Amino acid sequence: GESVGLHLPTLSVQEGDNSIINCAYSNSASDYFIWYKQESGKGPQFIIDIRSNMDKRQGQRVTVLLNKTVKHLSLQIAATQPGDSAVYFCAENAGYSTLTFGKGTMLLVSP
Amino acid sequence: GAGVSQTPSNKVTEKGKYVELRCDPISGHTALYWYRQSLGQGPEFLIYFQGTGAADDSGLPNDRFFAVRPEGSVSTLKIQRTERGDSAVYLCASSSTGGGYNEQFFGPGTRLTVL
């Protein structure tokens, strides 16, 4: 995605809506992907992960979709709640221990 | 402890000073990572420890940055001759083992401000 400097891409939804957050990754060798949620003043919190041999994985209210052809990852949150408001990061791992994070998307949920 | 802890939570220093940031990983976790997060950005990798040794320090920006983990648990990130551009949140994470596919648990971070 585009560099937005200090201004994160923002997704605003109403409580109860489904949310979709997208991420483009850069390394075609990456084979493990993770979505993190980060609330203000806290460290990133693991949400869900997916390996490159899968194209979809579901958790509780969350689904991650992976499209390796176009190097795209998405996070779907069902029935979004105000407590879901945070910044969401995708991260990729090319088989080493270090993670490469994307720039993040801010999700704002209105009651 | 229940999670990764970092101290101090906030550190304000003057340009040119030396600072130390501490990370206490989850007990028993052999892998420990340091990341730096600038405002509006995702965390950027700095260094990864497997046990006591630095397995990958390719993310350290220059030789003013150094980290140790002498007993394979607590780690200290040291920054010499701080510069205003070092201002950021420094995050520590740990995982049960190193290598890919292992969930990294993050601490709350230390917010460093260099005046």
Side-chain angles (χ1 to χ4, degrees), chain A residues 22 44 56 70 110:
Chain A
N22 296 301
K56 180 179 180 178
V70 295
S110 304

Side-chain angles (χ1 to χ4, degrees), chain A residues 11-36:
Chain A
L11 175 65
S12 297
V13 301
Q14 295 288 321
E15 182 177 3
D17 287 352
N18 296 331
S19 302
I20 299 176
I21 299 171
N22 296 301
C23 175
Y25 65 93
S26 56
N27 188 349
S28 57
S30 293
D31 60 358
Y32 178 53
F33 305 88
I34 312 101
W35 280 100
Y36 283 92

Side-chain angles (χ1 to χ4, degrees), chain A residues 5-6 8 31-32 36 38 41-44 46 49 51 89 93 95-99 101-103, chain B residues 33 35 37 39-45 48 56 91 98-104 106-109:
Chain A
L6 295 178
L8 289 169
D31 60 358
Y32 178 53
Y36 283 92
Q38 187 173 27
K42 297 184 179 180
F46 174 93
D49 59 0
R51 298 192 186 188
F89 292 99
N93 184 310
Y96 307 103
S97 289
T98 62
L99 298 174
F101 284 80
K103 290 189 182 299
Chain B
Y33 314 81
Y35 292 84
Q37 187 173 26
L39 187 64
Q41 302 293 317
E44 294 179 303
F45 167 75
Y48 152 55
D56 184 351
L91 294 164
Y101 317 131
N102 290 294
E103 181 179 346
Q104 295 185 21
F106 282 82

Side-chain angles (χ1 to χ4, degrees), chain A residues 46-84:
Chain A
F46 174 93
I47 301 173
I48 191 169
D49 59 0
I50 188 168
R51 298 192 186 188
S52 59
N53 60 353
M54 305 172 67
D55 53 19
K56 180 179 180 178
R57 189 164 188 225
Q58 290 184 289
Q60 185 177 10
R61 284 201 306 118
V62 294
T63 301
V64 55
L65 299 178
L66 174 63
N67 185 329
K68 296 181 289 293
T69 302
V70 295
K71 293 191 286 188
H72 184 269
L73 198 65
S74 68
L75 176 70
Q76 301 178 359
I77 305 174
T80 315
Q81 303 168 358
D84 295 328

